Amino acid sequence: MKAIEITKPGKVVIKDRLVPKIDENEILVKVKAAGICGSDVHIYHGKNAFATYPRVVGHEFVGEVEKVGLQVQNVKVGDRVAIDPVVSCGHCYSCRIGRRNVCKNLNVLGVHRDGGYQEYIAVAATSAHKLPDNISWEIAAMVEPYTIAAQVLDRGRLTATDTVLICGAGPIGLVILQAVKMIGARVAIMDVIESRLKWAKEMGADLVINAKTSDMIKEVMEFTNNEGASLILEATGNVNVLESCIHNIASPAGRVVVLGFSTDLVKIPQVDIMSKELEIIGTRLNNNKFPQVIDWFAKELVQPQKILTHTFNFEETQKAFELNDENPESVCKIVLTF
Ligand SMILES: NC(=O)c1ccc[n+]([C@@H]2O[C@H](COP(=O)([O-])OP(=O)(O)OC[C@H]3O[C@@H](n4cnc5c(N)ncnc54)[C@H](O)[C@@H]3O)[C@@H](O)[C@H]2O)c1
Ligand SMILES: [Zn+2]
Ligand SMILES: [Zn+2]
């Protein structure tokens, strides 16, 4: 079988590998489609602190069950499945309180161990979630990014009465936007790329703000009747944007959900947090959100087809990475097919 290996930063090689063996609690998945995520490209560029090399990346993948281990009950050969990339230890503090996505010994498929950019992969059967037949492989590959949105909504305790600001209209900001509109809250979204803001408008954003050409703080204040946003979802990854959200934009009693993982320092006055009783909330990957998101897809409550802009054969991964890097105006989500 073929596997796409990042042998070292900047180098993608198509390797011949043996089809993996499975143990009694595992399944062998014949990969059908896999999304390209910013973090895959970061690993390709050597900019992910958690990744080691050589690495087969890809944490957004779906496929058909080819073989099952002796003890496997939840899926059978021929099932179409999406794979949750979060692998947790089950016994650390976070696992014990049901928050396996921040497991102390967290392993993410495609980051800490090999992921989905290969023709076959062995995974724990418990990480497989059955897909309905009416969802195509390319669309199903986007279940994982929507689980990020499901986690963000959960962490931020979104309700329809919130006035929301989403910072960043990249694939993740746009997926979150669709999820927020599904719940029905009013939402503004900001970016500096006009075409991404245009997509956001088409996906139902109530206000789009180009931070390059207009004053974000002023616009959000007008949008919220000078109250500030009750829920801010920071998906630019830029710490200056986060500072401004906390200092100038969050309403008293507001919540700020942080998605980015920059190691730059964030400088905010302590009194901002205290005086407004602000909540600054982290969110990472997803905590058992696959069933919920597959249900969103099956009921067409979200529009993943609007996120997918390109597909490539998996043997053209390097070309797809380059397109992703060089064309943020026209590329949203690229899915590799197998
Ligand atoms: N916490 C998690 O589980 C999780 C999961 C996936 C992605 N992320 C993070 O979420 C963020 C968004 O992911 P993505 O894939 O959409 O990334 P992306 O880079 O494609 O999108 C970021 C968007 O923010 C915009 N932006 C950047 N700096 C800006 C600024 N100063 N002002 C206005 N707009 C600005 C960019 O133009 C871009 O459209 C990234 O930081 C990523 O690392 C976190
Ligand atoms: Zn991702
Ligand atoms: Zn754990």
Side-chain angles (χ1 to χ4, degrees):
M1 69 161 199
K2 288 178 183 151
I4 306 298
E5 225 177 69
I6 299 178
T7 50
K8 60 179 187 188
K11 194 162 168 66
V12 176
V13 176
I14 303 175
K15 280 256 169 90
D16 267 318
R17 285 192 176 186
L18 294 173
V19 173
K21 293 204 162 46
I22 54 170
D23 76 23
E24 57 181 15
N25 294 308
E26 285 183 325
I27 59 174
L28 184 69
V29 177
K30 182 172 196 213
V31 177
K32 294 287 189 177
I36 295 183
C37 171
S39 57
D40 300 314
V41 185
H42 286 156
I43 295 172
Y44 169 60
H45 289 305
K47 285 194 219 147
N48 183 311
F50 308 113
T52 53
Y53 302 86
R55 179 63 58 237
V56 174
V57 294
H59 55 273
E60 308 175 356
F61 63 97
V62 290
E64 200 173 293
V65 178
E66 179 90 5
K67 260 188 205 165
V68 300
L70 285 171
Q71 299 294 333
V72 172
Q73 304 274 354
N74 61 322
V75 289
K76 57 181 190 314
V77 171
D79 280 349
R80 307 169 80 240
V81 291
I83 306 301
D84 186 341
V86 174
V87 179
S88 54
C89 76
H91 48 74
C92 72
Y93 168 71
S94 2
C95 285
R96 292 199 308 275
I97 63 162
R99 291 175 59 179
R100 58 187 298 267
N101 55 314
V102 286
C103 170
K104 190 165 183 258
N105 308 302
L106 183 69
N107 269 297
V108 181
L109 301 181
V111 181
H112 306 86
R113 40 170 108 160
D114 283 349
Y117 292 3
Q118 50 186 329
E119 289 180 296
Y120 293 91
I121 183 171
V123 297
T126 49
S127 64
H129 298 272
K130 273 191 234 175
L131 290 163
D133 287 336
N134 64 340
I135 305 175
S136 72
W137 291 120
E138 288 89 342
I139 294 294
M142 288 180 289
V143 165
E144 195 277 345
Y146 280 81
T147 66
I148 305 294
Q151 183 71 12
V152 166
L153 266 48
D154 190 354
R155 297 288 296 148
R157 308 194 302 280
L158 173 79
T159 69
T161 59
D162 275 307
T163 308
V164 181
L165 171 66
I166 300 171
C167 299
I172 291 294
L174 292 172
V175 161
I176 294 172
L177 169 66
Q178 291 186 0
V180 170
K181 287 317 296 181
M182 175 185 74
I183 304 297
R186 279 181 79 231
V187 54
I189 185 164
M190 67 81 104
D191 206 289
V192 288
I193 301 176
E194 203 48 52
S195 57
R196 292 187 160 190
L197 292 170
K198 189 169 157 271
W199 292 333
K201 194 83 209 168
E202 286 163 11
M203 291 174 200
D206 299 288
L207 173 70
V208 298
I209 305 167
N210 188 328
K212 223 192 237 166
T213 54
S214 59
D215 181 343
M216 166 168 83
I217 299 170
K218 190 164 155 274
E219 296 245 3
V220 178
M221 284 305 155
E222 273 171 29
F223 181 68
T224 61
N225 264 329
N226 277 320
E227 285 195 321
S230 63
L231 179 61
I232 300 175
L233 310 171
E234 204 314 289
T236 68
N238 181 303
V239 295
N240 299 320
V241 174
L242 180 60
E243 280 171 8
S244 183
C245 287
I246 295 171
H247 191 55
N248 303 303
I249 298 178
S251 78
R255 288 102 65 211
V256 180
V257 179
V258 180
L259 279 97
F261 40 88
S262 166
T263 52
D264 295 346
L265 294 185
V266 180
K267 233 178 155 190
I268 40 165
Q270 199 181 42
V271 67
D272 284 5
I273 302 173
M274 172 268 160
S275 60
K276 296 188 195 173
E277 284 197 346
L278 285 188
E279 289 176 65
I280 298 171
I281 304 168
T283 185
R284 187 171 190 186
L285 299 160
N286 86 93
N287 187 11
N288 298 324
K289 300 295 187 202
F290 271 70
Q292 181 184 347
V293 168
I294 291 169
D295 194 50
W296 293 355
F297 275 46
K299 293 182 177 151
E300 298 183 5
L301 300 176
V302 286
Q303 306 110 42
Q305 70 284 359
K306 290 192 173 162
I307 300 290
L308 178 65
T309 50
H310 297 78
T311 55
F312 277 86
N313 183 277
F314 79 104
E315 293 185 63
E316 296 180 309
T317 299
Q318 179 143 11
K319 200 168 133 199
F321 279 169
E322 280 158 16
L323 183 81
N324 190 79
D325 268 352
E326 289 158 14
N327 296 281
E329 295 80 16
S330 60
V331 174
C332 190
K333 175 63 71 183
I334 304 178
V335 169
L336 304 171
T337 54
F338 289 74

